[in-house]
Amino acid sequence: MTRLMRIPQAGVSSIVNLIGRLCSQVRPGPQRLQVPWFAGHNEILPLIFVVALQVCVWWIVALLFHAPSDIHNDMAEAFSWGRELQWGYYKHPPFWAWIARCWFSIFPATDWAFYLLSVINSAVGLVGVWAIAGRYVTGARRLAAVVLLELVPFYHLLAFTYNANSIELSVWPWTIYAFIVSFETRRLVPAASFGALAAAAMLSKYFGGVLLVSCLVAAITSPLARAYFRSAAPYVTILVFGACLAPHLAWLLEVSSGPIDYLSTKTDYSFLFVAGKAATVVAGIILQHGFLVVVLVALRPKLGEPAWGLASASPRALIGRPKIRLLVALAVAPVLVTVLVSLMGNVRLSTKFALPLFSLMPLVWIIFSRAKCGLRSMCAVGLCIGLVMGGALLVALPAADLKFKHNHRHFAEPRAIVARQLTELWHAQMAAPLRIVAGTESYALATTFYSADHPSHFIDFSTTRAPWIDDARLSQDGLAIICVSDDKTCLGETGRFQSLKTTRLTLSNVSKTFLGNRGKAFSFVVLLVHPGQTVHAPAIDCCSARRERNGSGAGNSSAKDITGS
């Protein structure tokens, strides 16, 4: 990191000058970009082209880069939880898992379908940014507010893993759009839409509260605040938001452990550690926006036409306009609120929290720089995006091979292979479908996805964490347990079943092959608990289970043995 921060100034200047020279090679266009796609009010066609390109290119990159890898744990978790419809889960609210369930009710449970969901999710967010931009600018500027986001990794490379963080890429922009329309028009339908989308943001991850606080700050600081709060719009929003959130809140009051308990395990850090982590994340975000900043600096001297017809307007005059002040608040407040919550709540930040935070920054830059976005500048931006996409396509497979050779966890672990072998062993022994799986988390989750039976995941052997599992299901369907041979906690849990009829097996030297190379070999212990016997499964508290894994392990759990009769 220190080396990266010490980039010579001459190097940055060289990059800026290079992009500037490339821009100068493009013949100047007329004062206004006169591409047929932008003729009249037709702005849909270029958007369709950009979104289609985004989906196709980054889907291919995702498939190439993850060719030797099985899906990430978070993705398998979304699939597994989505099959067990709940109003909430022990770690997160349910909306992102519901989306996964809807998706896989149409598409097969395959890697390509999951990565297609990931890139479409981010593309939906880009369309939301385009909708927001349409409230402020038109034509090429509106498109530029979207395509400039291709120069940062948040909407592609970091969005390949579908989880509770990446779903915010699609939900947040549309929530902001609904808020802006509701605030400006004060009509009831936009107000209700804002309430529903705000609930979706909260039901995706409680981090959505940052967005809602930011909307409140934007509304309060606007010169139009009094008119908004005197109308029915905010109260319709609150009613719809409460109605959508009520079932989850009722579930939250009933369960003994849930996302709030899980969140409490993420706040046990010192202030200095949290502050240092926040500073590291901010520095990382700045670096990830580096290419975008270089491109904007290179283009800035080429842009001169006012975007608002305010050639002499200063930034202070622009921010005095209610529409622009609202936009700036919505662009800046989420970043400030996130850092503030981290410092005050001892929450450890990570880069994945930042995925939805900067979607409005290009639009703000276009407005305050009075960007012309003419033919020359748009061609230069397109060239830069082409370099990013082309480079990603060229590097994806070699990078995947490198990670595989270095035994990176997600690339080396033979999760899909083990899932299918476990299913075959169960069928051979029980002559029945595999309904329930437990064990080492990454392999148990992978089994729910890669097994043709798609069994339910008995999370941490706990009916609290997996309320869809109870004594009746365990007694009727039995249980397959898969443990990595050195996972002492998982192996300790198998002792709970020693009084039951079981079959114990081993899988030795299981490994992947990729491009002619064999990966790291793993060994596993398999315990098959036969169906048709009475099983009593205790609920394990979320936090006590976590302490067991981090501390004394399964050795202190003798009072919670599963017994049969």
Side-chain angles (χ1 to χ4, degrees):
M1 177 66 74
T2 304
R3 289 186 178 181
L4 290 174
M5 296 298 289
R6 294 177 180 172
I7 300 175
Q9 185 175 0
V12 175
S13 300
S14 299
I15 297 173
V16 171
N17 292 334
L18 175 61
I19 296 177
R21 289 197 299 272
L22 290 173
C23 295
S24 64
Q25 299 302 314
V26 182
R27 293 183 179 179
Q31 283 296 315
R32 183 172 179 83
L33 185 62
Q34 297 293 341
V35 179
W37 284 348
F38 289 101
H41 298 287
N42 188 1
E43 299 178 343
I44 300 295
L45 287 178
L47 175 71
I48 293 173
F49 173 77
V50 168
V51 170
L53 186 66
Q54 149 89 13
V55 170
C56 292
V57 170
W58 293 115
W59 183 39
I60 294 172
V61 171
L63 293 176
L64 291 174
F65 182 66
H66 294 96
S69 171
D70 300 320
I71 62 169
H72 193 280
N73 281 356
D74 289 353
M75 300 169 76
E77 199 169 58
F79 178 84
S80 174
W81 290 1
R83 291 180 61 82
E84 319 290 347
L85 281 179
Q86 305 284 314
W87 286 110
Y89 303 91
Y90 85 96
K91 203 187 289 187
H92 296 300
F95 184 72
W96 63 295
W98 292 350
I99 296 296
R101 179 188 177 95
C102 293
W103 181 261
F104 287 106
S105 66
I106 301 171
F107 292 92
T110 56
D111 290 23
W112 67 261
F114 226 143
Y115 289 117
L116 183 60
L117 171 61
S118 297
V119 295
I120 287 180
N121 173 67
S122 59
V124 170
L126 291 178
V127 177
V129 173
W130 179 82
I132 295 169
R135 307 288 299 184
Y136 296 87
V137 292
T138 59
R141 296 188 190 93
R142 186 178 188 182
L143 187 65
V146 175
V147 299
L148 285 171
L149 290 171
E150 290 289 343
L151 299 176
V152 293
F154 291 166
Y155 274 86
H156 39 81
L157 295 178
L158 297 182
F160 287 161
T161 299
Y162 177 82
N163 56 22
N165 297 300
S166 66
I167 189 66
E168 295 166 343
L169 287 171
S170 59
V171 174
W172 278 38
W174 285 106
T175 305
I176 292 173
Y177 173 75
F179 167 71
I180 292 174
V181 176
S182 174
F183 185 85
E184 292 180 350
T185 66
R186 298 185 286 281
R187 295 200 301 265
L188 298 185
V189 172
S193 300
F194 174 46
L197 287 166
M202 283 296 291
L203 288 173
S204 297
K205 192 174 184 179
Y206 292 156
F207 184 63
V210 168
L211 175 60
L212 303 190
V213 170
S214 301
C215 290
L216 179 61
V217 170
I220 292 174
T221 57
S222 171
L224 304 177
R226 180 172 296 182
Y228 176 67
F229 286 106
R230 283 183 173 179
S231 71
Y235 310 104
V236 170
T237 295
I238 292 172
L239 286 175
V240 173
F241 175 76
C244 293
L245 213 61
H248 175 71
L249 294 176
W251 170 87
L252 199 61
L253 293 173
E254 291 181 1
V255 297
S256 58
S257 65
I260 294 178
D261 300 286
Y262 177 76
L263 179 62
S264 68
T265 67
K266 301 292 186 180
T267 59
D268 190 18
Y269 305 103
S270 67
F271 177 80
L272 289 178
F273 174 83
V274 170
K277 189 67 176 176
T280 302
V281 169
V282 170
I285 291 170
I286 292 173
L287 287 176
Q288 289 167 345
H289 282 74
F291 188 43
L292 173 61
V293 172
V294 169
V295 171
L296 295 183
V297 169
L299 294 178
R300 181 63 183 91
K302 312 295 179 184
L303 311 178
E305 181 185 331
W308 282 79
L310 299 173
S312 60
S314 65
R316 185 174 181 178
L318 284 174
I319 199 99
R321 298 172 68 93
K323 282 176 67 73
I324 301 180
R325 180 182 294 187
L326 189 73
L327 177 67
V328 171
L330 290 170
V332 175
V335 181
L336 300 180
V337 173
T338 297
V339 174
L340 187 63
V341 169
S342 172
L343 297 178
M344 295 183 63
N346 278 346
V347 178
R348 184 185 66 180
L349 283 184
S350 67
T351 305
K352 60 189 178 183
F353 283 18
L355 291 182
L357 296 182
F358 297 91
S359 58
L360 298 182
M361 292 302 182
L363 176 60
V364 171
W365 176 85
I366 287 170
I367 291 174
F368 278 86
S369 67
R370 306 176 187 87
K372 178 181 178 181
C373 295
L375 180 60
R376 176 185 299 175
S377 56
M378 291 298 287
C379 286
V381 171
L383 176 61
C384 294
I385 293 172
L387 291 174
V388 171
M389 289 183 168
L393 287 168
L394 290 174
V395 170
L397 199 59
D401 186 44
L402 186 64
K403 280 184 170 287
F404 181 76
K405 290 177 179 177
H406 284 78
N407 293 318
H408 185 279
R409 177 190 172 194
H410 292 295
F411 288 77
E413 290 185 348
R415 301 174 189 172
I417 295 173
V418 169
R420 296 179 182 114
Q421 289 184 359
L422 178 63
T423 305
E424 291 172 1
L425 289 172
W426 179 270
H427 290 170
Q429 294 289 328
M430 309 300 172
L434 176 59
R435 300 299 188 192
I436 305 173
V437 66
T440 301
E441 183 180 49
S442 57
Y443 289 91
L445 280 171
T447 302
T448 68
F449 183 76
Y450 289 108
S451 169
D453 294 338
H454 301 305
S456 298
H457 184 202
F458 190 17
I459 305 171
D460 295 334
F461 302 88
S462 166
T463 56
T464 298
R465 292 188 169 192
W468 47 87
I469 304 294
D470 56 18
D471 293 357
R473 280 201 65 186
L474 286 170
S475 300
Q476 177 180 338
D477 298 329
L479 171 68
I481 303 172
I482 179 73
C483 299
V484 178
S485 58
D486 60 356
D487 186 348
K488 295 181 180 179
T489 300
C490 181
L491 294 173
E493 295 288 348
T494 63
R496 302 172 184 270
F497 301 89
Q498 59 187 357
S499 63
L500 300 175
K501 182 181 179 182
T502 60
T503 299
R504 192 180 186 92
L505 304 163
T506 59
L507 298 174
S508 301
N509 298 321
V510 183
S511 63
K512 294 179 178 178
T513 57
F514 181 66
L515 298 180
N517 299 309
R518 183 170 293 278
K520 180 181 178 181
F522 293 82
S523 296
F524 304 87
V525 174
V526 175
L527 187 72
L528 307 180
V529 180
H530 291 236
Q533 53 186 328
T534 304
V535 180
H536 300 292
I540 303 175
D541 177 70
C542 164
C543 299
S544 66
R546 177 172 292 275
R547 285 193 294 269
E548 283 183 12
R549 284 201 299 273
N550 294 337
S552 57
N556 294 334
S557 58
S558 59
K560 300 175 182 176
D561 284 347
I562 293 179
T563 59
S565 59

